[in-house]
């Protein structure tokens, strides 16, 4: 099996070398053309894929930005609502503090009035009706008379009374 290199070495003239190299050069030119065509096709396909990828990325970025805008709007609305609620709560707390202070004053005033009325009624009752004197009976026991009474009833000293 002869290789091209062996035939080129065996050639005796430039014409023979040219004849041996011509099919090789044509094959190389054909390979170069095919490589160039393949490279151009690959380049075009790469450009198409790059454009497609770029559009997909731009679309995804647009969707992401739209979602972020919706989220931002929702958070902003929530923050506004919370701020309004906090302001309402502050107003209610201030109103409750005022009510508590006035309620405390009313409670103290009511307590004072009730105390004064109670004191006036007590003083009036004492002045209108003098206090009742509790009478304790004064018992003067004469021991000698007691012994006589006991003997009449049948009592004996140190014994039980006789039954009648």
């Amino acid at each position: 099996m002869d290789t091209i290199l062996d035939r080129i070495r065996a050639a005796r003239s430039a014409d023979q070398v040219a004849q041996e190299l011509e099919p090789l050069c044509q094959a190389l030119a054909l390979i170069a053309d095919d490589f160039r065509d393949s490279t151009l096709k690959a380049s075009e396909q790469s450009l198409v894929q790059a454009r497609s990828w770029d559009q997909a990325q731009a679309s995804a970025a647009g969707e992401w930005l739209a979602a972020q805008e919706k989220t931002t709007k929702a958070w902003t609305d929530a923050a506004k609502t919370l701020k309004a609620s906090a302001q309402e709560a502050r107003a209610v707390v201030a109103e409750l503090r005022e009510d508590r202070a006035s309620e405390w004053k009313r409670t103290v005033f009511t307590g004072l009035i009730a105390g004064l009325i109670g004191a006036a009624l007590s003083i009036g009752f004492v002045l209108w009706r003098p206090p009742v004197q509790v009478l304790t009976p004064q018992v003067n026991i004469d021991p000698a008379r007691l012994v006589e009474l006991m003997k009449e009833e049948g009592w004996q000293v140190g014994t039980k009374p006789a039954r009648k």
Side-chain angles (χ1 to χ4, degrees), residues 20-66:
E20 294 295 329
L21 285 177
E22 185 176 353
L24 181 62
C25 288
Q26 286 177 356
L28 286 174
L30 186 60
I31 289 172
D33 287 342
D34 287 345
F35 179 75
R36 187 184 69 237
D37 289 344
S38 297
T39 305
L40 284 175
K41 283 182 185 177
S43 176
E44 288 174 8
Q45 287 177 349
S46 294
L47 285 174
V48 168
Q49 280 184 332
R51 286 184 191 123
S52 172
W53 185 81
D54 187 41
Q55 288 174 352
Q57 291 298 316
S59 174
E63 291 173 7
W64 184 81
L65 285 175

Side-chain angles (χ1 to χ4, degrees), residues 113-125:
I113 295 298
L116 289 174
I117 290 173
L121 288 174
S122 297
I123 292 170
F125 184 73

Side-chain angles (χ1 to χ4, degrees), residues 11-162:
R12 302 272 178 224
S13 68
D15 286 334
Q16 283 180 337
V17 170
Q19 283 177 352
E20 294 295 329
L21 285 177
E22 185 176 353
L24 181 62
C25 288
Q26 286 177 356
L28 286 174
L30 186 60
I31 289 172
D33 287 342
D34 287 345
F35 179 75
R36 187 184 69 237
D37 289 344
S38 297
T39 305
L40 284 175
K41 283 182 185 177
S43 176
E44 288 174 8
Q45 287 177 349
S46 294
L47 285 174
V48 168
Q49 280 184 332
R51 286 184 191 123
S52 172
W53 185 81
D54 187 41
Q55 288 174 352
Q57 291 298 316
S59 174
E63 291 173 7
W64 184 81
L65 285 175
Q68 292 301 314
E69 287 176 4
K70 286 180 184 178
T71 303
T72 303
K73 185 178 182 319
W75 280 105
T76 304
D77 292 345
K80 288 178 183 177
T81 303
L82 285 173
K83 186 176 180 180
S85 297
Q87 289 173 346
E88 288 178 21
R90 284 188 192 113
V92 168
V93 166
E95 187 177 325
L96 286 174
R97 284 183 180 154
E98 290 174 13
D99 288 348
R100 185 182 68 187
S102 65
E103 188 67 31
W104 183 81
K105 290 175 186 174
R106 265 188 256 137
T107 302
V108 169
F109 181 71
T110 303
L112 287 173
I113 295 298
L116 289 174
I117 290 173
L121 288 174
S122 297
I123 292 170
F125 184 73
V126 166
L127 292 177
W128 177 64
R129 180 155 179 136
V132 177
Q133 292 182 356
V134 177
L135 299 177
T136 56
Q138 297 201 0
V139 179
N140 292 327
I141 299 175
D142 183 17
R145 176 79 178 127
L146 182 61
V147 171
E148 284 177 26
L149 287 174
M150 288 175 66
K151 284 182 182 180
E152 288 174 8
E153 290 294 322
W155 284 77
Q156 292 181 355
V157 178
T159 61
K160 290 184 180 178

